[in-house]
Amino acid sequence: MVIKLLKSIALITIITCSLKAQQVNIIPYPASINIMHGQFTFDKNTKIVLVNDIHNTNQKEVVLFNDWLNNYFGYKLTTSNKIKQNENTIQITAINSESEKYELNIQGNTIKIKALGEGLKNAFESLKQLIVLNNKQNSSTIPCLFINDSATFKWRGMHLDVCRHFFTKEEVKRYIDYISMYKMNTFHWHLTDDQGWRIEIKKYPKLTEIGGWRKGSMVGHYSEHTFDTLHYGGFYTQDDIKEVVAYAQTKHVTIVPEIEMPGHAMAALAAYPNYACTEGPFEVQKQWGVFEDVFCPKPETFRFLEDVLTEVMALFPGEYIHIGGDECPKTRWKTCSHCQALIKSEGLKDEHELQSYFIKHISNFLSKHHKKLIGWDEILEGGIASNAAIMSWRGEEGGIAAAKEKHYAVMTPGAYCYFDHYQGHPTQEPVAFGGYTPLEKVYEYNPIPHALKEEEKKYILGAQGNVWAEYLPHFNHVEYTAFPRIAALSEVLWTPAEQKNLNGFLQRIQGHFKFLDLYRINYSKSIYNINYEIRIDSTEKASLYLNNILFERNITSHNDSIVYQLSENAALQKYTNPVSITQSTQGRAFFYRNGEALGKDCNFKFFKNKATSKKVNFVEPPSKYYNKGNLTDGLLGHSPRINSEWLAWSGKNMDAVIDLIHDTEINTINVGFLKNEDDWIYLPSYVEIMISSNGKDFTSVSTKPVISQELNRYNYLFKIDKQKVRFVKIIAQCAPVIPEGRNGAGNNAWLFVDEIQAD
Ligand code: ACM
Ligand code: ZN
């Protein structure tokens, strides 16, 4: 076992060296680092000397470091409190007070560390990476350097949803290891939701007896609406929680437990229906989503929630308790006599102020017990409770509004921090929630919004990566979706902005993969995935462009190439220049390094037709948010969607005219639409095809498509029977305002279109 590991470590060294790293390979990159001449040889003869460790605080970290060495290298270092000359020594001097800071000074035959507790843990995390990535056989040759390191942000967090899928306490501990190894310090444990209540509450045993279990789960993507019938669930006993909390403390990670209210409460209401507005009965939900039955703000509900929070506060020593507050439909409150009477008696304007009343009540309760409330940004609506902190997830606006009102905020905007999004093209990646958040996007995030004034910036505590588990049935899926994005986020939060460098990070992360291999972490290699694009020039010639982030940023080595094949039986070719495409093609491409394909295969399909490359004019331009797509590039959009493949209109019709340039015989017109009503995207209510020879006088030729479906993409096929046409007009009428009872009720529907084909 150890021999096998050592072999893989030897390989690591070769690969790291070949990456021509400009930087020492440590993630997150230190705040300050000077690389010096010389090397330190780290091996089993290295000694540890502890200086001034009055309360044995550093001794505890040394024990953990030695356990780590033993685990991965099969030896421990001897410890003493006396320095001997001519021995390779790690000399650890305790500083006055504990913090995340540390100094690591590697020179000659001494590694000098100045730190205490958490800081020493962080020094060891840096050292572990240096040991592993510089290891050859039985020793590591570490460059001499001086690191003076501290964190940029205070809240360096990762979230884990254990409700949509349940993870054992051992898996949760591993997750805490991962948080700690990147010098992050906060674990947001999402413990209750519609699909399961996961924390034992002694006073209300049915919360876990009933609320901890459901009668089936969704399989495939939400849009497929299919379920299994398996009894599914699990929960943590209070002893489990205590064990995890104690473990997290040894790793210097604070746990922020989340108990959702007033919405996302179906599992609780399945157990105790009397805390809803209506009588129930309710079920623990199999489906992911937002549910209308929520807690009713009755005195008995508040008593119940306070009892629950009392037990929660006793288990979690951190200062914050997360109370959710997101996605609480007001439907039941609008027709509940108690809720309506409360709105009147409290002089509230509406149900939004009732939500605020609810949160303020809970916030006051937590304050009395010296805890602070944090909630998702919806708790701003109707007025924020004093002392409450905001977790900004619907973009950055919540965090900006909170900071402007002098409330603390943690940034978790979906576009950067939701690690349930795809990290590569959906066709190349396991099913995920949706969205597209590749590694480089996470890396480039800056938690301080531009909109904040200097004096408001201090209210941004930091940021957090969210791992919602709808599509993560097993812990190895959690690893895949979190890694390596967690590494990028750690650098966003730890490393000063002026030290951040995307190219440097993309090079370091490839060496770092070997560190993850040593830990047997199931990480994504999507940085190697190939993207494709068809570009059409002024002479209507189509060319295939292949790329990936490493080529795009010019950080490949001579051993790297993109290899492609234009059809299943065609020869594999090395990509050097854009490839001319003259006919419909179904090919593939992949990244190739030193005889090995890395990342996932990229499969591309190009549909050449009479509309390909022809100009499209719109009466009403598409929304500025979704205007990247090209309707005549011969490429179909995918579902789940990548926004750049689609054009979209909100509450407006698409009125498009294609100029085919010459009179052209056309038999069929195909138009592709997306349907994803949960995301407010509806099929058009009506589509009409018109033709013209002069671009002014149009004749209607069809309003009756044959509709076929592939996942959420709907193809509308119009037969128009050998017409000679020059101009084709497509009018697609956007669906009406979203009806009551649906996601986004009262808002304009969206119309998404990906392609128009003429044959
Ligand atoms: C959330 O993603 N509903 C906070
Ligand atoms: Zn009610």
Side-chain angles (χ1 to χ4, degrees), residues 521-749:
I521 291 170
N522 179 36
Y523 58 92
S524 166
K525 298 192 188 84
S526 59
I527 54 164
Y528 298 118
N529 289 2
I530 305 298
N531 307 314
Y532 67 94
E533 198 186 343
I534 298 282
R535 287 195 213 158
I536 292 147
D537 69 12
S538 57
T539 66
E540 293 186 22
K541 279 214 296 245
S543 301
L544 170 71
Y545 285 72
L546 299 172
N547 215 339
N548 77 357
I549 185 70
L550 306 179
F551 277 98
E552 199 178 303
R553 301 192 66 86
N554 202 15
I555 47 172
T556 49
S557 76
H558 63 277
N559 295 320
D560 295 345
S561 54
I562 295 174
V563 173
Y564 71 95
Q565 195 175 25
L566 282 182
S567 67
E568 210 179 333
N569 300 319
L572 285 171
Q573 299 187 62
K574 183 171 166 171
Y575 178 84
T576 46
N577 284 306
V579 184
S580 169
I581 303 271
T582 53
Q583 58 191 32
S584 294
T585 303
Q586 287 198 30
R588 75 180 177 116
F590 51 87
F591 183 84
Y592 200 66
R593 172 178 289 167
N594 295 332
E596 194 187 352
L598 298 175
K600 302 248 164 74
D601 262 23
C602 157
N603 294 295
F604 52 85
K605 289 184 191 169
F606 172 66
F607 298 93
K608 176 137 175 80
N609 65 87
K610 289 172 182 167
T612 307
S613 81
K614 301 298 188 295
K615 190 157 170 39
V616 190
N617 284 310
F618 299 106
V619 171
E620 184 71 50
S623 154
K624 65 178 182 195
Y625 300 111
Y626 303 105
N627 61 6
K628 299 275 190 310
N630 178 339
L631 298 189
T632 54
D633 60 357
L635 303 177
L636 306 190
H638 292 88
S639 150
R641 72 175 193 274
I642 286 273
N643 288 331
S644 60
E645 297 176 345
W646 299 85
L647 291 181
W649 289 259
S650 172
K652 294 187 177 131
N653 301 338
M654 178 184 80
D655 187 331
V657 174
I658 301 182
D659 182 354
L660 298 173
I661 301 176
H662 309 290
D663 281 347
T664 308
E665 188 179 290
I666 298 293
N667 284 299
T668 59
I669 302 283
N670 283 280
V671 190
F673 298 100
L674 186 69
K675 179 180 169 192
N676 191 345
E677 296 183 358
D678 304 305
D679 282 357
W680 310 10
I681 301 168
Y682 283 71
L683 290 175
S685 30
Y686 164 85
V687 184
E688 181 170 8
I689 306 294
M690 304 173 92
I691 57 172
S692 165
S693 55
N694 61 12
K696 291 195 191 90
D697 310 308
F698 281 91
T699 315
S700 177
V701 285
S702 179
T703 55
K704 297 210 162 40
V706 177
I707 302 176
S708 58
Q709 174 189 1
E710 194 172 330
L711 294 172
N712 288 357
R713 183 185 184 276
Y714 287 70
N715 188 70
Y716 283 44
L717 162 66
F718 296 89
K719 296 207 164 93
I720 63 167
D721 234 4
K722 287 199 175 180
Q723 304 264 6
K724 278 252 183 197
V725 297
R726 160 86 191 263
F727 297 92
V728 182
K729 185 181 189 69
I730 301 104
I731 300 172
Q733 191 175 61
C734 184
V737 165
I738 301 171
E740 256 324 292
R742 315 298 293 271
N743 266 3
N747 290 289
N748 283 329

Side-chain angles (χ1 to χ4, degrees), residues 276-277 296-297 332-333 336 338-339:
C277 291
C296 175
R332 295 289 179 262
W333 291 357
C336 166
H338 172 81
C339 289

Side-chain angles (χ1 to χ4, degrees), residues 319-339:
E319 62 176 333
Y320 282 103
I321 303 283
H322 200 302
I323 54 76
D326 59 320
E327 299 180 318
C328 177
K330 310 298 185 287
T331 327
R332 295 289 179 262
W333 291 357
K334 282 186 181 155
T335 55
C336 166
S337 57
H338 172 81
C339 289

Side-chain angles (χ1 to χ4, degrees), residues 142-204:
I142 302 175
C144 290
L145 48 75
F146 179 70
I147 291 175
N148 188 353
D149 211 1
S150 60
T152 297
F153 288 97
K154 190 173 159 205
W155 187 300
R156 304 182 301 281
M158 285 295 291
H159 147 291
L160 182 65
D161 164 20
V162 294
C163 303
R164 277 46 178 265
H165 286 100
F166 179 71
F167 306 107
T168 64
K169 70 176 176 195
E170 296 309 329
E171 290 166 337
V172 171
K173 285 186 196 169
R174 283 196 74 179
Y175 198 73
I176 290 167
D177 289 343
Y178 301 153
I179 293 172
S180 184
M181 100 189 186
Y182 288 115
K183 306 185 177 89
M184 296 169 104
N185 60 1
T186 307
F187 170 42
H188 172 173
W189 201 357
H190 184 79
L191 284 163
T192 75
D193 214 305
D194 302 302
Q195 297 77 15
W197 182 284
R198 306 274 177 241
I199 172 170
E200 179 191 27
I201 300 295
K202 304 257 192 210
K203 193 158 182 183
Y204 299 95

